[in-house]
Amino acid sequence: MKDQLALLRKCVLNQIPATVFQGDDTCTVEVLEAAIEIYRRHGASREFLYDFQNVIEDVKAYQKQNPHRLKLADMTEVEKELLRKEMLEKGLLG
């Protein structure tokens, strides 16, 4: 896949929303497999799909080699508290 760090930098510098999935997130493979099906349905090129499938295989290999590092993604307690405050302000928490 394209240089992922360069893509992320471009997004940060240009204030373009971006999402990062880490290889140690237990849901990453499932998320990427769903994404590739969505790209396929929307007509992504064979080259893009091939490259994207390689990323999925890389993550699978990483996870197989590092099962001790796998965990469900989460936030720090500080991040959670900040979001709870925002949610309270928006009336999303009772």
Side-chain angles (χ1 to χ4, degrees):
M1 181 152 260
K2 290 182 181 179
D3 182 346
Q4 295 174 4
L5 184 55
L7 284 170
L8 184 57
R9 279 190 186 121
K10 179 181 177 183
C11 288
V12 171
L13 290 172
N14 294 296
Q15 298 183 336
I16 299 168
T19 302
V20 175
F21 295 100
Q22 293 178 266
D24 57 2
D25 178 343
T26 57
C27 296
T28 296
V29 170
E30 189 174 355
V31 169
L32 294 176
E33 286 176 340
I36 199 170
E37 288 308 314
I38 293 166
Y39 282 119
R40 187 175 282 118
R41 278 198 324 265
H42 285 270
S45 71
R46 286 184 291 170
E47 296 82 5
F48 177 87
L49 295 172
Y50 174 81
D51 195 35
F52 202 97
Q53 185 63 48
N54 287 335
V55 171
I56 295 171
E57 295 307 318
D58 289 347
V59 173
K60 286 180 180 179
Y62 172 85
Q63 290 187 348
K64 186 175 182 179
Q65 293 170 1
N66 298 282
H68 58 285
R69 297 189 71 179
L70 302 182
K71 63 187 181 315
L72 184 61
D74 204 353
M75 302 172 137
T76 66
E77 290 305 315
V78 172
E79 291 168 329
K80 288 178 187 179
E81 184 59 31
L82 291 170
L83 282 174
R84 280 187 209 107
K85 287 179 183 179
E86 181 181 322
M87 293 167 73
L88 275 170
E89 290 171 5
K90 293 182 176 183
L92 300 173
L93 289 179

